[in-house]
Amino acid sequence: MNFSWSEEQLAFRDEVTHFASKTLAKSLTERDRNGVFSMDDWRACARFGIQSMSIPAPYNASKRDTDLMTAVLAMEAMGLGCRDNGFNFALNTQMWTVQYPIYKFGTELQKNKYLPPMCAGKLIGAVAAADHVVAAVAVQGVVAGVAVNVVGAVSAAGPVVPRFTVDLVRSAVAADGVEVFDEEVVAVD
């Protein structure tokens, strides 16, 4: 059995490293100082296909399939090319803890509703947790000009969330003008 990277995988790694070093984190020091997240970089990654690597072609924006090992190698290349470790962490968080669980456990409606816009860089996913229970709530809206979608803990009935978490998220985001919808949220007491 050969565990070496293929020539295609190594070429893709080099392409990702080049993309990241030439395109991303151009004003990192200034953005860090001002606490600003670069939506331009996020969208550039989406156009390149980064956010699509964790999801098969029917649901992703690039319409190509990337195997798991190639995706891992590409994310390593992002770390080599992009100096913004927080940005890389955000990409990985969305790809592996939001998008992938929706792909694996979500309904077709949820997959079609959330995955294409997340892979296209139009929605940003996050995971919410309360106490010892990993939970989430579907939250969609705009915070500081950024489309936000918080989704996780997806079940066949929709995201299952302790009622406390639903209420907490509603109150936390209401101040930021986020429209909360819960047509797919199953709040449990």
Side-chain angles (χ1 to χ4, degrees), residues 18-91:
H18 179 77
F19 158 77
S21 66
K22 298 297 182 199
T23 308
L24 305 176
K26 294 298 183 199
S27 57
L28 178 59
T29 304
E30 180 182 335
R31 284 189 297 111
D32 272 356
R33 187 178 310 118
N34 297 321
V36 175
F37 180 81
S38 175
M39 280 306 297
D40 290 338
D41 286 357
W42 190 265
R43 290 183 189 112
C45 285
R47 285 189 300 275
F48 187 84
I50 298 297
Q51 290 96 315
S52 292
M53 290 190 300
S54 63
I55 303 300
Y59 304 106
N60 73 36
S62 71
K63 303 303 179 205
R64 74 168 186 241
D65 287 326
T66 304
D67 66 89
L68 178 62
M69 294 307 294
T70 302
V72 169
L73 184 63
M75 295 315 291
E76 178 183 299
M78 284 290 295
L80 292 171
C82 178
R83 299 176 309 135
D84 189 344
N85 294 324
F87 184 80
N88 289 329
F89 186 79
L91 282 169

Side-chain angles (χ1 to χ4, degrees), residues 58-59 102-103 105-116:
Y59 304 106
I102 293 171
Y103 165 69
F105 305 109
T107 65
E108 280 302 310
L109 176 68
Q110 292 165 335
K111 291 175 189 180
N112 287 308
K113 183 175 185 175
Y114 297 120
L115 295 177

Side-chain angles (χ1 to χ4, degrees), residues 8 12 24 27 45-46 78 83 102 129 133 148-149 172 179 189:
E8 294 83 14
F12 186 56
L24 305 176
S27 57
C45 285
M78 284 290 295
R83 299 176 309 135
I102 293 171
V133 179
V148 177
N149 208 43
E179 174 190 347
D189 292 320

Side-chain angles (χ1 to χ4, degrees), residues 116-184:
M118 284 184 180
C119 292
K122 296 177 181 173
L123 291 177
I124 295 178
V127 176
D131 299 327
H132 65 283
V133 179
V134 174
V137 61
V139 176
Q140 181 174 332
V142 177
V143 178
V146 177
V148 177
N149 208 43
V150 180
V151 181
V154 179
S155 74
V160 177
V161 189
R163 185 164 308 285
F164 168 81
T165 304
V166 173
D167 295 341
L168 180 67
V169 171
R170 278 197 178 114
S171 63
V173 299
D176 289 325
V178 175
E179 174 190 347
V180 178
F181 70 94
D182 58 7
E183 72 221 39
E184 297 180 33

